[in-house]
Every structure is written in structure tokens, then in C-alpha cells.
Amino acid sequence: MIPTIPQSRFVRRTYNAYIALFFIYLGLPLLVVAVFAFNDGQFPSLPWEGFTLNWFFGAERPMIGVFNERSILSAIGTSVFVGLSVSALSVAVGLSNAFLFNRYQFRGRGIFYVLMLLPLVVPGIVLGISILVFSSTAANAVWDAVKWDIEVLRPGLVLVVLGQFSFITTIATLVISARLQKFDRTLEDAALNLGATRLTAIRTITIPYLSSALIGAFVVAFLMSFENFNTTLMLVGSDAPLTIAMFDRLKEGSTPLLNAVSLLLMVGSSLLALAMLSFQRKD
Amino acid sequence: MRAEAKLGLALLLTPLLLWLSLLIIIPHINMLFIALRERVAVATYETSPANFLTFFREPLYMWTFVRTALMSVMATVITLVIAFPVSYYIAKIAKGRRKSGLFLLCLVPFWVSELVRTFGWMILLRETGVVSNVLQYLGLVQGPVEMLYNDAAIMVGLVYTSMLFMVVPLVTTMESLDDAVIEAGYDLGGSGPSILREIIIPHATPGIVSGSIVVFMLSLGNYLTPTMLGGKESLWFTELIYSQFIVRFNWELGAAFGFMLLILSSVIVWGMLRLTGQTLEKTMG
């Protein structure tokens, strides 16, 4: 079944219909989320009560819009803060890992490489509880020994950042490594011949070459952090990131406010992803 | 120069070692120790396999474990069956702009969080939801139908959530299959099914394996979809872990559960790699 081999019309039509159905299936849940953000009623469900923008801009009960809902706005702020921290940390460590595996032959390299991949095959919830247990054990040990309570080791944003960082770093490493492997090392040698030191050569030749991968890894890390749920759920303290805050509300019953937040999320992440793609296409 | 290379190696190894030891290896060993201790009195613990024995002796825990594993396998198979023709279409039949457009469309739903996707299915499937209303409008059913809070709803959600992680590796491997090979298959008298079986599927095996591993892992470790779409009776293993940790504060038993989940996922991933002769480096890296 390739275009150069003729097929009966029936087979072709069925196949095309299947593909069309698949994309309807893919789009339908997102479409209903988006549409009900504009429903002028208390529930994101039929009957349709008319069009309104109150779930975005409304200022009084019972329709308080996203932009006037303090708790949602602060959850978005928390998520952005966590996302930026996780991205910065994991891109930095990912860059270092990429250079390590690309440039050095050392004993145990193969084992380290497999270990580096492992976080991808550990369920997120197990990563979360293991870090939770370990940090509490450490905090308790410090308390027993010197009676200091180390706040950062208790559930909270620092642990959320560390928990997400623990597996997103693997992805950052893979993205940056893929680009570094294509780098022509003679360019660095040329810089060295022209009198540059090794660090200058890397700073002026290799890092600019990697910039698109670095930005790509940063954006992917940010998106993954922003939508992470499982690991975050186990490590969260009193400041909930957006996914956790929305989950708590959804458990109590949903209003179109959640649709409005979701729609903003969809638009935001699509724009970010498109910006990244167009940036990467340029080089 | 040699000293400089050694210094560079040490500098680059440090972050890797810190990351892996402090956030991955030591926490997991620590979790194993916690799982292997039993509280005998206030703040006194003894090493014993009691928590694991509780797991094996309590039918509800065991059943939830087996059920989660079986449903995750099923979700993986369904995802593969649905994704395969679509990936083939994108990789081999669609051309040019249409191809990259369709591929991009597959990615779009996954830029938004899983919570939003699950929420979408809740709006569609619940008693007052869109599907129920459409069915009533068409006269196919009398009165509202509740389609949430059952296993089929969980399955729909799991398959939907994992779709991307199957489509991307499948498209990538099938793109590298030369059209001429398929044509040669037809020239040599092969039929559609025999070419699929003997040329396309063997070629796509690395993609099938890595897609299946990721989808299985994501389903097994999923918490959101079973809770939101399956309701209170969904009996998903991650919910047991969550309730032991957060609701009952029984960290010892929760850690033992976490370990069982880790063992299950490692065994299945390892078995799948073994069965198909792949390695983790090749499928993930």
C-alpha cells in the first residue's frame, strides 16, 4: 500500500475514512473543552446556555473569570516559576552530560549511560515517593542530630523542582546530545590552531552551534514541567502548581472556569511549541 | 594536557554523579529500606518483609496489582493497533505539506496537559455530556446514559493519552523504509497482508518496541486518568500508593507498593527488550 501501487477504490476510501476518524477522535476532547469555556451557564455541559466571555473576564459571583481569580493566577505563577527553574537546571546538567558522553571515554561509561536513561523507565509516582521518603529521612536525621529543621527538605516547591528535574534532565541530555553528535570537530581544531584556548573554542564555536538544541531542550523541559502531574502530586506542599490546583477543583465539580484556564493553556503551549519549531527550522 | 583532560572529565562527571546518586539511586535504596522495616512500637522499627507479605496476602492489593498490569498491557495493544495504520499513512502515503501537517496535528493534543485531555473526555462521556445528548437526540437511547466511571472509560482515556508516544516512534522508523522494498515485495508476488507481515512489521520493530515500552510505562504509572474517568472504584495501583502515603501515612506499606510497581515495570520492559533483541540504549537514546 504505497501510492505507486494501485489499490481498489474501496480499500483507499476505507483507509482515508479511518484516518479522518482518527483525527476527529484526537481533536474532539480538546474541541469540547474549548467550546464550553464560552458557555453562559454554571456547568461545562449541555444544554448550551449562550455565549459569554465571563469565564475569562467576569468579576462577580457566580461567574468569576480566570483573570480575576486570585488562586488560579497564583497557581499559574507557581507553575511558571517551577518550570523556569526545572528548565534552567536540566538544560545546564544536560549540556554537561552531553559533553561528557560525546567527548570522553572512561571506565563505566556504558553503565553511566544506561543509568542516565533509567529515569525515563521509572514510573513518575515512584520517582516522587522515593524522593519524598529520602528527603524526609534526611531531614529527620538532621533534626535528631543537631535539632535543625531544614525546611527545604519538607514537601514544597524545592522538592517539586528536584523531582521534575530528576527525569527531565534525561530528556534534555538526549536532545542536546543528538545535536552535538552532528558537530564537526575539525571546526574546534581550527579554532585551536588559530590560537584559541579550549574553553574559548567551545564558547565561541560549539555553544553557538548548539543554541537551537539548547532552546529546544529548554522549551520541552518547560512544557513537561508545566504539565507534570504524577511526580508533583507526591511532592507538593502548600503552594500548588496549576495542574494540582486544577485537579483539586475538578474533584469538587467543574465549572466553565476550568475550561477557560484549559483553553488559555492550549493556546499558550501551542504558541510556545510553534515558536520553537519555526526557530529550529531556520537553521 | 592530560591533566587538563582529567580535570574536564571530573568537572563534567560531578553534575551527573550528583544527579544520579542524590535523586535516583540513593532515594530508591532508601525506599527499599523503608519498605523492609516494620513498626513494632512507637518509633521502633525492625527489619522484616512484613509489608511485602501484607501485599501478597491481601487479595484486594494483589488483584489491583494484576488488574493494573493487565489493563496497561491491553491499553498498549489497543494503542498500537490504532496508531499503526495512522503512522503508516503519515510515513508512506501522505506527501509534502500534508505529511508534515498531519504529523503536527498528532502532536498538538500533547502540548496541553493530561489534565485538560482527561477533562475533555469527562465533558464528552458524563451523564449530562455531549455523547449522551447526541445519542438521545438521534433517538438511539431513551434518557441520559452515564458513560464515565467504568473500565471502558479508563481505557479510552489511557489510549488517548498515550497515542503520541506510539505514533512518533512508528512514523520515524517507517519513514526509513524505502518504497522500492515494498514495490519489490509486490513484484515478487506478495499480497498486502504478506508484505505487511514480512516487510513492514519487521522493519518497524524498533519503533513498535520503544513505543510500546513508553505507552505501557505511562499507563502503569498513570494516576490522573483512572481516578478521573474510573471514579472511586477504579482500583488502579497508583491510587493504592497515593492513599498509603498521603491519606494513611503508612509510608512503609506505600514504599513496598512503590517497589512492586517498579519491579513490575522493570520486568516487563526488560522482557520486551529481550524478546525483540533490542537494548535500552538503542530504543531510548
Side-chain angles (χ1 to χ4, degrees):
Chain A
M1 279 222 273
I2 44 173
T4 48
I5 307 280
Q7 283 288 337
S8 77
R9 184 179 282 185
F10 174 74
V11 171
R12 258 201 341 257
R13 287 228 172 122
T14 323
Y15 199 7
N16 285 337
Y18 175 78
I19 300 297
L21 262 179
F22 175 81
F23 281 101
I24 292 174
Y25 159 79
L26 221 52
L28 204 56
L30 301 183
L31 186 72
V32 290
V33 168
V35 167
F36 281 107
F38 303 101
N39 189 16
D40 196 0
Q42 278 301 308
F43 303 103
S45 59
L46 293 169
W48 180 254
E49 311 261 12
F51 179 88
T52 179
L53 285 176
N54 276 348
W55 293 114
F56 292 91
F57 304 107
E60 55 211 271
R61 289 186 177 283
M63 283 185 163
I64 295 183
V66 182
F67 297 112
N68 292 310
E69 176 75 52
R70 196 69 60 71
S71 64
I72 291 286
L73 289 179
S74 78
I76 294 177
T78 308
S79 279
V80 170
F81 168 75
V82 170
L84 291 177
S85 317
V86 169
S87 311
L89 270 175
S90 52
V91 168
V93 176
L95 179 65
S96 154
N97 290 348
F99 268 100
L100 178 71
F101 288 114
N102 184 257
R103 298 292 166 88
Y104 290 93
Q105 294 296 330
F106 51 95
R107 207 183 303 158
R109 182 177 181 277
I111 295 171
F112 278 124
Y113 194 74
V114 173
L115 279 177
M116 185 276 287
L117 291 174
L118 272 190
L120 285 188
V121 289
V122 176
I125 202 161
V126 175
L127 273 181
I129 57 174
S130 69
I131 291 172
L132 174 69
V133 167
F134 178 53
S135 63
S136 301
T137 310
N140 292 342
V142 170
W143 176 254
D144 288 343
V146 288
K147 299 287 172 222
W148 282 345
D149 190 21
I150 303 184
E151 196 64 38
V152 296
L153 290 176
R154 305 292 179 189
L157 286 188
V158 175
L159 283 196
V160 170
V161 169
L162 287 177
Q164 296 183 355
F165 162 78
S166 73
F167 72 95
I168 292 178
T169 303
T170 303
I171 290 153
T173 306
L174 292 177
V175 171
I176 299 170
S177 293
R179 178 94 176 142
L180 189 58
Q181 264 163 22
K182 291 187 200 141
F183 179 68
D184 181 3
R185 284 195 68 181
T186 52
L187 291 175
E188 256 176 42
D189 295 338
L192 293 178
N193 284 340
L194 293 169
T197 62
R198 189 153 275 283
L199 272 184
T200 314
I202 287 176
R203 192 167 48 84
T204 54
I205 310 282
T206 323
I207 299 291
Y209 173 83
L210 287 176
S211 62
S212 71
L214 293 176
I215 291 171
F218 195 93
V219 172
V220 169
F222 185 81
L223 287 176
M224 290 194 75
S225 156
F226 210 90
E227 64 166 284
N228 180 265
F229 184 81
N230 287 346
T231 310
T232 311
L233 180 71
M234 305 307 299
L235 296 170
V236 75
S238 50
D239 301 322
L242 187 62
T243 43
I244 305 288
M246 284 175 74
F247 176 68
D248 289 338
R249 283 183 173 235
L250 203 51
K251 276 194 297 197
E252 293 159 13
S254 44
T255 67
L257 173 74
L258 289 179
N259 295 65
V261 182
S262 306
L263 181 58
L264 291 178
L265 274 182
M266 285 188 233
V267 173
S269 48
S270 307
L271 287 180
L272 200 56
L274 279 180
M276 180 184 77
L277 282 180
S278 64
F279 183 84
Q280 285 188 324
R281 198 155 298 167
K282 256 189 280 174
D283 57 30
Chain B
M1 192 61 213
R2 263 198 73 77
E4 195 187 319
K6 269 204 173 136
L7 180 69
L9 178 64
L11 279 178
L12 292 177
L13 258 176
T14 313
L16 179 84
L17 289 177
L18 282 177
W19 162 48
L20 288 177
S21 59
L22 289 179
L23 291 174
I24 309 291
I25 299 168
I26 300 178
H28 280 91
I29 295 173
N30 185 238
M31 190 173 81
L32 180 62
F33 279 123
I34 301 280
L36 281 175
R37 71 181 195 187
E38 188 189 5
R39 209 166 87 143
V40 284
V42 178
T44 359
Y45 296 95
E46 239 170 43
T47 308
S48 91
N51 296 307
F52 288 98
L53 290 179
T54 311
F55 168 78
F56 285 110
R57 283 193 191 133
E58 170 63 53
L60 178 72
Y61 298 157
M62 208 50 206
W63 164 235
T64 309
F65 186 69
V66 173
R67 183 184 131 86
T68 306
L70 290 180
M71 285 195 51
S72 301
V73 171
M74 204 164 128
T76 311
V77 173
I78 296 176
T79 312
L80 176 62
V81 169
I82 294 179
F84 198 87
V86 177
S87 316
Y88 185 79
Y89 190 89
I90 295 174
K92 293 273 94 173
I93 295 181
K95 296 274 176 258
R97 286 209 148 185
R98 192 175 151 79
K99 178 190 191 121
S100 45
L102 286 180
F103 193 58
L104 215 59
L105 268 182
C106 282
L107 302 184
V108 168
F110 304 92
W111 288 333
V112 298
S113 87
E114 189 187 347
L115 191 90
V116 175
R117 290 176 250 153
T118 312
F119 184 37
W121 281 108
M122 289 173 74
I123 296 176
L124 283 171
L125 295 179
R126 72 170 132 219
E127 209 175 349
T128 53
V130 177
V131 175
S132 166
N133 271 287
V134 168
L135 288 178
Q136 286 175 70
Y137 177 78
L138 294 175
L140 292 173
V141 290
Q142 245 72 62
V145 258
E146 176 66 272
M147 275 173 277
L148 270 186
Y149 312 127
N150 57 48
D151 289 356
I154 299 181
M155 203 48 90
V156 167
L158 287 179
V159 169
Y160 185 83
T161 287
S162 326
M163 194 51 77
L164 163 89
F165 301 96
M166 193 61 96
V167 170
V168 170
L170 282 180
V171 170
T172 323
T173 46
M174 282 199 267
E175 262 182 337
S176 67
L177 175 62
D178 195 341
D179 279 2
V181 180
I182 302 177
E183 282 164 13
Y186 277 104
D187 289 343
L188 293 169
S191 61
S194 72
I195 285 171
L196 182 68
R197 202 177 55 241
E198 285 174 33
I199 297 177
I200 300 171
I201 291 181
H203 185 86
T205 301
I208 294 176
V209 174
S210 65
S212 300
I213 288 178
V214 175
V215 171
F216 177 77
M217 293 286 317
L218 288 177
S219 305
L220 197 65
N222 204 318
Y223 175 81
L224 199 59
T225 304
T227 347
M228 302 313 292
L229 301 180
K232 293 213 159 35
E233 304 295 307
S234 57
L235 292 179
W236 206 257
F237 199 64
T238 47
E239 293 170 359
L240 284 187
I241 298 178
Y242 180 80
S243 74
Q244 291 302 335
F245 263 91
I246 308 294
V247 186
R248 301 191 189 179
F249 283 104
N250 189 346
W251 284 22
E252 285 75 24
L253 191 57
F257 285 176
F259 231 82
M260 291 311 299
L261 189 71
L262 189 61
I263 291 173
L264 174 65
S265 70
S266 316
V267 165
I268 297 221
V269 168
W270 180 80
M272 218 140 59
L273 291 173
R274 219 46 212 293
L275 212 67
T276 50
Q278 305 283 322
T279 62
L280 192 65
E281 293 94 308
K282 253 172 47 197
T283 44
M284 298 288 153

